[in-house]
């Protein structure tokens, strides 16, 4: 009898110790989580959320003063925390991390529009925050989380079954929105804009230096997300059209370099016969590279952009190189699709 009691008692001790396992980063994320389940990229005083900072009394006060209007999917906010918490739960089994992640997933489901799009912020609708936002991969980051939930991938198999079912529906709505917002040029699908009017789903402008345009970096992320899905005729057409556009609108013989001068970034466009790049933005009608400036003006010559914006924004990159040369061919082969 004494042995049995000892075994039971030991079992209780093990369970108790297991419940106390904590992850330092995850613990901070629990504190930063907003009441509606999302996370902000900034606090109420506009300071950037930084998980490397120690949680002293002053910082805790700032966090507590930060409300739901700061909840966003911009700059990887919310998706980053959900992914981190799920990973922390997989190693610690601390139920608080799963609970927090599920609250974040519920926030993503809540913020999605009926048309399948995601605003940059929710519930904050100020300025461009209510637009359907592909910029900085905001919507794709959110959909990727929900895709992992729906499919039980990347440690998301532990999420509540009700959230899984809701996520499946949300992903399908998101795909429908993506296909609907692919910009048509004389009836032919091209790529996508950075942001769209949340009602009309027409391309829209955001910040002064982000005019209505085709956005290459974000479109690469969109294509990659579509290639995760079953290759329906609609998705096949969308992916093929986007890759064709990228192939036809690259900039050959130039490289884009960033250096530091007196601690500041200096970005230069230089001739390089071995390099292929794409502009960050293209004219939505004629595919000419374009550049927005701080005063809201649009330039078609990179050298005419003000020095502050020329060096303060990344205007070119090899965005579609890996997609075209590695990922797309593998996708075609995997799905037994002809590149015609």
């Amino acid at each position: 009898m004494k042995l049995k009691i000892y075994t039971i008692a030991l079992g209780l001790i093990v369970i108790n110790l297991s419940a106390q396992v904590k992850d330092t980063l995850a613990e901070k994320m629990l504190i930063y989580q907003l009441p509606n389940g999302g996370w902000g990229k900034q606090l109420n005083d506009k300071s950037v959320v930084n998980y490397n900072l120690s949680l002293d009394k002053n910082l805790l006060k700032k966090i507590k003063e930060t409300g739901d209007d700061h909840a966003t999917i911009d700059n990887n906010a919310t998706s980053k925390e959900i992914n981190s918490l799920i990973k922390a739960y997989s190693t610690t089994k601390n139920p608080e991390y799963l609970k927090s992640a599920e609250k974040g997933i519920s926030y993503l489901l809540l913020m999605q529009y009926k048309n399948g799009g995601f605003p940059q912020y929710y519930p904050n609708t100020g300025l461009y925050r209510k637009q359907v936002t592909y910029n900085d991969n905001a919507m794709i980051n959110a959909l990727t989380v929900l895709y992992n939930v729906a499919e039980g991938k990347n440690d998301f198999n532990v999420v509540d079954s009700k959230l899984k079912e809701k996520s499946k529906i949300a992903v399908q709505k998101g795909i429908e929105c993506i296909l609907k917002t692919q910009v048509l040029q004389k009836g032919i699908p091209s790529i996508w804009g950075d942001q769209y009017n949340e009602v009309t789903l027409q391309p829209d402008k955001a910040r002064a230096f982000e005019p209505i345009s085709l956005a290459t970096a974000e479109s690469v992320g969109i294509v990659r997300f579509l290639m995760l899905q079953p290759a329906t005729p609609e998705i096949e057409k969308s992916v093929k059209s986007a890759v064709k556009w990228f192939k036809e609108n690259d900039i050959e013989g130039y490289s884009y370099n960033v250096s530091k001068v007196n601690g500041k970034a200096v970005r230069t466009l230089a001739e390089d016969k071995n390099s292929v790049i794409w502009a960050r933005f293209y004219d939505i009608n004629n595919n000419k590279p374009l550049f927005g400036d701080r005063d809201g003006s649009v330039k078609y010559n990179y050298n005419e952009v003000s020095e502050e914006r020329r060096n303060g924004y990344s205007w070119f990159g090899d965005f579609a190189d890996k997609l075209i040369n590695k990922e797309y061919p593998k996708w075609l082969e995997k799905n037994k699709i002809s590149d015609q």
Side-chain angles (χ1 to χ4, degrees):
M1 181 63 69
K2 287 183 180 180
L3 181 59
K4 289 182 179 179
I5 293 173
Y6 175 75
T7 304
I8 293 170
L10 182 60
L12 289 172
I13 290 170
V14 171
I15 292 170
N16 185 53
L17 287 174
S18 175
Q20 298 303 311
V21 176
K22 293 184 178 182
D23 178 288
T24 304
L25 177 60
E27 288 296 313
K28 287 184 178 180
M29 289 179 172
L30 296 182
I31 294 170
Y32 275 93
Q33 189 169 27
L34 298 168
N36 65 3
W39 281 266
K41 65 176 185 177
Q42 292 180 331
L43 298 178
N44 199 49
D45 66 348
K46 296 186 178 181
S47 61
V48 176
V49 170
N50 183 355
Y51 291 112
N52 291 322
L53 297 177
S54 299
L55 292 170
D56 58 24
K57 185 178 180 180
N58 184 48
L59 181 54
L60 286 169
K61 183 174 182 291
K62 289 181 181 180
I63 294 171
K64 189 176 181 180
E65 291 172 348
T66 303
D68 285 343
D69 264 4
H70 288 270
T72 182
I73 55 173
D74 191 32
N75 289 11
N76 297 317
T78 300
S79 58
K80 171 182 64 184
E81 283 83 1
I82 294 171
N83 288 326
S84 294
L85 286 162
I86 287 292
K87 185 178 180 181
Y89 176 75
S90 72
T91 57
T92 67
K93 304 305 178 189
N94 190 322
E96 291 302 312
Y97 303 157
L98 178 58
K99 181 180 177 182
S100 177
E102 289 180 335
K103 189 176 179 181
I105 293 164
S106 294
Y107 168 75
L108 294 181
L109 293 168
L110 178 65
M111 78 184 304
Q112 187 180 30
Y113 290 129
K114 289 182 179 180
N115 60 25
F118 284 77
Q120 188 185 58
Y121 279 71
Y122 180 84
N124 189 335
T125 59
L127 301 172
Y128 48 80
R129 293 181 176 90
K130 61 184 176 180
Q131 293 174 342
V132 171
T133 304
Y134 294 121
N135 195 16
D136 290 335
N137 300 314
M139 177 166 157
I140 294 302
N141 286 339
L143 280 174
T144 299
V145 167
L146 297 178
Y147 170 76
N148 284 328
V149 174
E151 300 298 321
K153 295 187 175 183
N154 297 313
D155 297 320
F156 279 82
N157 57 302
V158 295
V159 172
D160 181 82
S161 59
K162 291 181 180 178
L163 288 178
K164 289 183 180 181
E165 291 305 312
K166 290 180 180 179
S167 294
K168 286 180 182 179
I169 296 170
V171 169
Q172 288 309 306
K173 286 170 61 180
I175 292 171
E176 290 170 11
C177 181
I178 288 170
L179 297 177
K180 192 179 294 184
T181 51
Q182 190 168 12
V183 176
L184 297 178
Q185 295 178 327
K186 296 180 180 179
I188 300 172
S190 59
I191 56 173
W192 290 263
D194 252 342
Q195 50 273 321
Y196 291 73
N197 180 279
E198 68 281 2
V199 177
T200 66
L201 289 183
Q202 292 302 304
D204 212 342
K205 63 180 181 179
R207 291 178 291 187
F209 51 90
E210 294 171 333
I212 293 176
S213 59
L214 298 176
T216 49
E218 284 74 12
S219 292
V220 168
I222 292 170
V223 172
R224 284 174 174 153
F225 179 76
L226 288 177
M227 292 195 304
L228 291 174
Q229 314 306 319
T232 63
E234 294 80 8
I235 287 178
E236 180 182 334
K237 179 182 178 181
S238 178
V239 170
K240 282 185 172 182
S241 298
V243 170
K244 184 173 184 288
W245 186 95
F246 278 118
K247 289 179 178 179
E248 292 175 348
N249 291 280
D250 62 357
I251 302 171
E252 298 180 8
Y254 284 87
S255 62
Y256 187 57
N257 307 299
V258 183
S259 58
K260 289 282 187 180
V261 177
N262 296 326
K264 293 184 178 180
V266 176
R267 304 175 192 269
T268 55
L269 185 64
E271 291 188 15
D272 183 346
K273 64 180 182 179
N274 298 316
S275 179
V276 175
I277 57 175
W278 286 263
R280 177 75 174 78
F281 299 127
Y282 285 77
D283 189 289
I284 205 163
N285 298 308
N286 58 30
N287 295 329
K288 289 183 179 179
L290 62 78
F291 314 92
D293 219 330
R294 184 70 76 177
D295 62 1
S297 63
V298 175
K299 309 287 198 313
Y300 289 89
N301 185 333
Y302 173 65
N303 293 316
E304 292 178 1
V305 179
S306 66
E307 183 180 351
E308 182 271 332
R309 274 300 82 193
R310 193 165 64 246
N311 292 319
Y313 201 76
S314 187
W315 293 106
F316 298 91
D318 60 352
F319 306 120
D321 180 67
K322 187 177 179 182
L323 172 68
I324 291 172
N325 296 308
K326 294 183 179 180
E327 297 165 343
Y328 178 62
K330 286 182 179 179
W331 177 78
L332 292 173
E333 183 180 358
K334 177 185 176 183
N335 292 282
K336 296 180 172 58
I337 296 173
S338 172
D339 188 18
Q340 299 294 329

